[in-house]
Amino acid sequence: MKTLYELRHDMDVTQGEVADFVGVSTNAISQLEKGSRFPSLKTAQKLAAFFHVSVDDIHFGAKKSSKKRRK
């Protein structure tokens, strides 16, 4: 499962290009990538169509590091 950020960079498109296709603001795409906002089902479906993946294949939010933090 790739993050929205990774999908966008793999396709070499800007947040603005994604936002225009989906019909939301560039700020909304930024918030989706950060995980501070989650999309409606309709928006998630449009994003999936844009990236040619299923809705289930999109991870919204920051990618967690697999490294354990030291205390």
Side-chain angles (χ1 to χ4, degrees), residues 28-60:
I29 298 299
S30 175
Q31 290 174 347
L32 291 171
E33 288 183 0
K34 293 176 186 173
S36 60
R37 179 178 176 178
F38 293 93
S40 67
L41 179 58
K42 184 176 179 179
T43 298
Q45 290 170 331
K46 288 180 180 180
L47 287 165
F50 182 85
F51 292 112
H52 307 287
V53 297
S54 72
V55 173
D56 291 338
D57 288 337
I58 301 175
H59 174 72
F60 298 99

